[in-house]
Each structure stands twice: as structure tokens, then as C-alpha cells.
Amino acid sequence: MKQGIYTITENRPLTADVWEMRLSGDTSPLTAPGQFINIKLEGFFLRRPISVCDWDGESLTLLYKVVGHGTDAMTRIRPGHHLDTLVGLGNGYDLTKSGARPLLIGGGAGVPPLYALAKALLAQGKQPQAI
């Protein structure tokens, strides 16, 4: 886990209540699909845990649903804003436990981390199926 300051490069609606946020910064603490981050929001005591949808060496992508005051406040944060973030939380998925044709099942907030999981499985030559 690492605490760091990340810069919002994009924050846009995908649907009426689902948003995509892209952050730039050090993603080295992310070691496996299925990990999450905690975002400190101005005016809120508790950090907001959000699953990581995807990442590369310089940025990460989050998909979040507006379900309360905190995630609603996130929709008003504009590109260029800096966020205090804890990155690399959770154990993530253990890819060694999957067979040649893993079945990925998710719904709601469980869907975004399946994207990076499917990419990692495909990179290993496996054939994931998603429901």
C-alpha cells in the first residue's frame, strides 16, 4: 500500500449514475487485478473505497456508481484536481488458481475489477468467459 497524490485526468459520466475517473500517478503498488484504492474527499471524514478497473504504469481507471453524498461529490471534481489516495489495497485475484477457461461472474460494483482480471487472464493465454 502506498499513500500518494494523484491527478484527475478525466471524470465523466457513462450513464446517469455511473462515472469513469482516470487518475495519473504512481501505480506500482497495484500488483493484481481486484485491488482497490481509498480516496480522501474534502469535507468527508471517511475515505471512499473504489475498485480499480484498469491500470498501466502511469495511470489508473475507476468506474464508480453515485450512491451517496461521497460519490455524488466525486462527480463534481474536475480534471487537474489532486486527490490524496491510498493505492494497492486488498489482495486482488490469484491468477494461479484459474483453469484454462475461467468463468468470471460479477454484478454492480463487482464488474469493474473483472475488466483487468480478464485482460490478465488473456495475457496468460487463458480464455475467460464473463457473466
Side-chain angles (χ1 to χ4, degrees), residues 2 5-6 24-29 57-58 60 87:
K2 177 182 178 183
I5 303 299
Y6 292 76
S24 67
D26 179 17
T27 61
S28 64
E58 302 170 351
L60 58 93
V87 177

Side-chain angles (χ1 to χ4, degrees), residues 23-94:
L23 304 173
S24 67
D26 179 17
T27 61
S28 64
L30 294 168
T31 59
Q35 289 184 294
F36 66 99
I37 70 171
N38 272 338
I39 300 172
K40 184 176 183 179
L41 297 174
E42 207 172 297
F44 292 88
F45 178 71
L46 297 175
R47 290 178 179 264
R48 296 307 186 261
I50 308 288
S51 296
V52 175
C53 178
D54 198 16
W55 78 94
D56 58 30
E58 302 170 351
S59 65
L60 58 93
T61 302
L62 312 172
L63 297 181
Y64 64 95
K65 184 173 183 177
V66 180
V67 294
H69 297 296
T71 48
D72 181 59
M74 287 174 59
T75 67
R76 292 186 292 281
I77 304 173
R78 299 290 168 236
H81 186 83
H82 301 287
L83 293 176
D84 180 332
T85 307
L86 301 176
V87 177
L89 302 172
N91 295 322
Y93 298 108
D94 182 352

